[in-house]
Amino acid sequence: MSAGAKELGQRIIEINRKVRLGSTTTEQWRERLDALLAAQPDFQLTCHARDVRFPEGGAGSSSGTLFFTMSHDGDHSTRECVLRFEPAERLFHAYDLDGQVRIQRALSSSPVPVPAQICEDIGGEFLKVPGYVMERTPGEAAPGAWFAEGVIADSTPADRRKMILSFVETLAKIHQLDWRAQGLSFLLRRAVGPNLIGREINWYWDGLSWAGEIDAQKRFSGVRDWLLANEPEVPRPVLCHGDANFTNYLFKDNLVSAVLDWEMAFIGAPEADLAYALIGMSSLSSDYPPGTPSDDEMKATYEAASGATLQHWEYYSVFALYRIVLTHILGLRAFPEDFQAAFQSHVDGLIARLNSAWSAAK
């Protein structure tokens, strides 16, 4: 199972890289980056982009991502950087890159570790597409098949447990932020709806409409209607990361060193993030290596770190699976025909989990 998951994960990374980056070469990106860096009025030294390259891992699969080294004329110093940009082919109907920059700038002085922002080109004047540059934070993200390879799989059971619980504790830190004071109320306008979770339900539904996935809308209309009709009250709205999975968290010395990829962030319930995280952990396999905390242990760790009691878990499990399934359906459009069958079996398994969770919750 692990070998198959590793192969599937690697193919997903390769295909995502192709559809997100398009036909632009790394040399063309270097020229664009040089133009952007040269236009920065606050830079005291002339800067250049060097060694522009593709990331090896799978983080940021819904965005374009490149690594490069920024060199400074005069003192010959360098700085490792990351370019994030609007992808050549979108996964979602809406891509608010300016919102991502605003979130990371707002969190820069918070207890939540995020990469330092360097500059942005939201209008695409220099990069030809909207994008921004941030510092590359030391640390390593796990691949999608986190249980089979990479930083978590290769650790000792004790270190593995420490990393995963640090991930859970970081979610609690995100949820404790005062998002109103941080100027993040704009996230309330992601979609139309009278209530917080309902807006997010509709945001993914809008994605199916944008993609012309009429059959999927017919297939999941019952789940959507149930989620809208049974949405619990959210007594303490929080900033949700939205895509809380190991590929979007960097680990250094067995602790989270940075939280990446805020394009799916929204204002919602803390249970929404944690349910998504726990279900996402088992999306490729439930054959976890030794040291992996149980779901109950992770819930207890979250409650201890946040001081909150988790509620309506069955509902938020259905909501998490709804988001995961619809995201996979949207992503399936990018895969070549020879690979769609293998990936479809993975999606079918997630759909079965969604239907089972929905039946249990009704």
Side-chain angles (χ1 to χ4, degrees):
M1 181 180 294
S2 294
K6 288 171 64 175
E7 181 180 355
L8 179 63
Q10 187 57 43
R11 283 296 305 276
I12 291 172
I13 291 172
E14 293 170 357
I15 294 167
N16 273 330
R17 176 182 296 173
K18 181 179 179 180
V19 299
R20 305 301 170 225
L21 298 181
S23 59
T24 307
T25 66
T26 54
E27 175 59 22
Q28 289 172 315
W29 280 116
R30 186 196 63 75
E31 294 173 354
R32 296 178 184 183
L33 281 165
D34 271 355
L36 173 61
L37 297 176
Q40 300 308 306
D42 297 333
F43 285 10
Q44 296 181 350
L45 297 174
T46 302
C47 300
H48 298 282
R50 301 283 186 262
D51 189 23
V52 180
R53 57 202 184 275
F54 303 119
E56 295 181 0
S61 60
S62 61
S63 301
T65 305
L66 289 169
F67 294 159
F68 71 97
T69 302
M70 183 193 300
S71 63
H72 305 85
D73 289 355
D75 65 1
H76 305 293
S77 63
T78 61
R79 190 177 186 184
E80 293 303 313
C81 299
V82 179
L83 168 66
R84 297 269 291 170
F85 56 92
E86 186 170 311
E89 182 175 330
R90 290 183 177 181
L91 173 61
F92 298 116
H93 60 294
Y95 189 83
D96 183 11
L97 188 137
D98 181 55
Q100 297 177 44
V101 172
R102 292 170 67 181
I103 292 171
Q104 292 194 186
R105 288 197 185 279
L107 270 54
S108 62
S109 59
S110 79
V112 178
V114 293
Q117 300 297 292
I118 297 175
C119 60
E120 61 260 10
D121 181 15
I122 303 302
E125 179 182 359
F126 304 100
L127 296 173
K128 311 303 181 186
V129 294
Y132 64 92
V133 174
M134 60 186 179
E135 190 174 67
R136 186 177 178 187
T137 304
E140 184 177 353
W146 65 271
F147 49 86
E149 60 180 342
V151 62
I152 298 178
D154 295 340
S155 297
T156 65
D159 288 347
R160 182 177 302 117
R161 177 181 178 83
K162 186 175 182 180
M163 280 189 282
I164 294 174
L165 293 183
S166 175
F167 165 75
V168 173
E169 291 164 350
T170 301
L171 277 181
K173 291 180 182 178
I174 295 171
H175 298 160
Q176 290 172 319
L177 294 172
D178 186 344
W179 52 270
R180 293 182 181 87
Q182 299 281 6
L184 301 180
S185 297
F186 71 90
L187 290 170
L188 294 169
R189 301 188 293 273
R190 268 168 59 89
V192 176
N195 303 310
L196 292 177
I197 304 304
R199 292 172 198 163
E200 204 61 19
I201 293 166
N202 290 336
W203 193 87
Y204 287 88
W205 201 254
D206 291 345
L208 292 182
S209 298
W210 164 77
E213 293 286 349
I214 298 174
D215 289 342
Q217 288 185 318
K218 292 178 180 178
R219 185 173 188 180
F220 300 109
S221 61
V223 178
R224 173 179 180 254
D225 291 345
W226 181 86
L227 285 168
L228 290 171
N230 292 276
E231 177 183 350
E233 181 183 355
V234 181
R236 188 177 66 88
V238 302
L239 170 65
C240 290
H241 181 218
D243 196 9
N245 72 81
F246 295 141
T247 69
N248 291 332
Y249 288 66
L250 298 183
F251 295 90
K252 184 176 184 292
D253 298 329
N254 304 320
L255 298 174
V256 171
S257 61
V259 183
L260 311 175
D261 305 343
W262 294 87
E263 60 263 46
M264 292 167 64
F266 64 100
I267 304 301
E271 292 86 356
D273 252 354
L274 191 61
Y276 182 95
L278 268 58
I279 291 171
M281 283 179 62
S282 60
S283 62
L284 287 177
S285 174
S286 58
D287 185 15
Y288 296 159
T292 302
S294 68
D295 283 7
D296 286 343
E297 287 177 298
M298 286 186 277
K299 290 178 187 178
T301 296
Y302 176 87
E303 290 185 335
S306 67
T309 301
L310 296 168
Q311 300 179 8
H312 309 293
W313 191 255
E314 285 190 334
Y315 176 90
Y316 286 108
S317 295
V318 177
F319 175 52
L321 281 160
Y322 167 88
R323 294 176 59 221
I324 291 171
V325 166
L326 266 57
T327 298
H328 277 69
I329 289 173
L330 291 169
L332 190 62
R333 298 174 302 117
F335 290 97
E337 292 184 4
D338 66 338
F339 188 62
Q340 283 199 15
F343 192 66
Q344 185 62 54
S345 63
H346 169 63
V347 176
D348 288 343
L350 290 170
I351 292 172
R353 290 184 65 181
L354 170 59
N355 288 331
S356 177
W358 180 35
S359 296
K362 285 192 293 184

Coordinates of all heavy atoms in Angstrom, one line a residue, residues 36 45 116 118 209 233 248 292 295:
L36 N 11.5 42.3 -11.4 CA 10.8 42.6 -10.2 C 11.7 43.2 -9.1 O 11.4 44.2 -8.5 CB 10.0 41.4 -9.7 CG 9.3 41.5 -8.4 CD1 8.3 42.6 -8.4 CD2 8.7 40.2 -8.0
L45 N 20.6 47.6 -2.1 CA 21.5 47.0 -3.0 C 20.8 46.4 -4.2 O 19.7 45.9 -4.1 CB 22.4 45.9 -2.4 CG 23.2 46.3 -1.2 CD1 23.9 45.1 -0.5 CD2 24.3 47.3 -1.6
A116 N 8.9 35.3 5.9 CA 8.9 36.7 5.8 C 8.6 37.1 4.3 O 9.2 36.5 3.4 CB 10.3 37.2 6.2
I118 N 8.9 39.5 1.1 CA 10.0 40.4 0.6 C 9.4 41.4 -0.4 O 9.6 42.6 -0.2 CB 11.1 39.5 -0.1 CG1 11.7 38.6 0.9 CG2 12.1 40.4 -0.8 CD1 12.7 37.6 0.3
S209 N -19.4 24.7 -10.3 CA -20.1 25.5 -11.3 C -19.1 26.1 -12.3 O -19.4 26.0 -13.5 CB -21.0 26.6 -10.7 OG -21.9 26.1 -9.8
E233 N -24.1 26.3 15.1 CA -23.7 27.7 15.4 C -22.2 27.6 15.7 O -21.7 26.7 16.3 CB -24.5 28.1 16.7 CG -24.1 29.6 17.1 CD -24.8 30.0 18.3 OE1 -25.7 29.2 18.8 OE2 -24.5 31.1 18.8
N248 N 2.0 21.3 3.8 CA 1.9 22.8 4.0 C 2.6 23.3 5.3 O 2.4 24.5 5.6 CB 0.5 23.3 3.9 CG -0.1 23.1 2.5 OD1 0.7 23.1 1.5 ND2 -1.4 23.0 2.4
T292 N 2.9 7.4 15.7 CA 1.8 8.3 15.2 C 0.7 8.4 16.3 O 0.2 7.3 16.7 CB 1.2 7.8 13.9 OG1 2.2 7.7 12.9 CG2 0.1 8.8 13.4
D295 N -6.2 9.5 16.7 CA -7.1 10.7 16.5 C -7.5 11.2 17.9 O -7.6 12.5 18.1 CB -8.3 10.3 15.7 CG -8.0 10.2 14.2 OD1 -6.9 10.3 13.9 OD2 -9.0 10.0 13.5

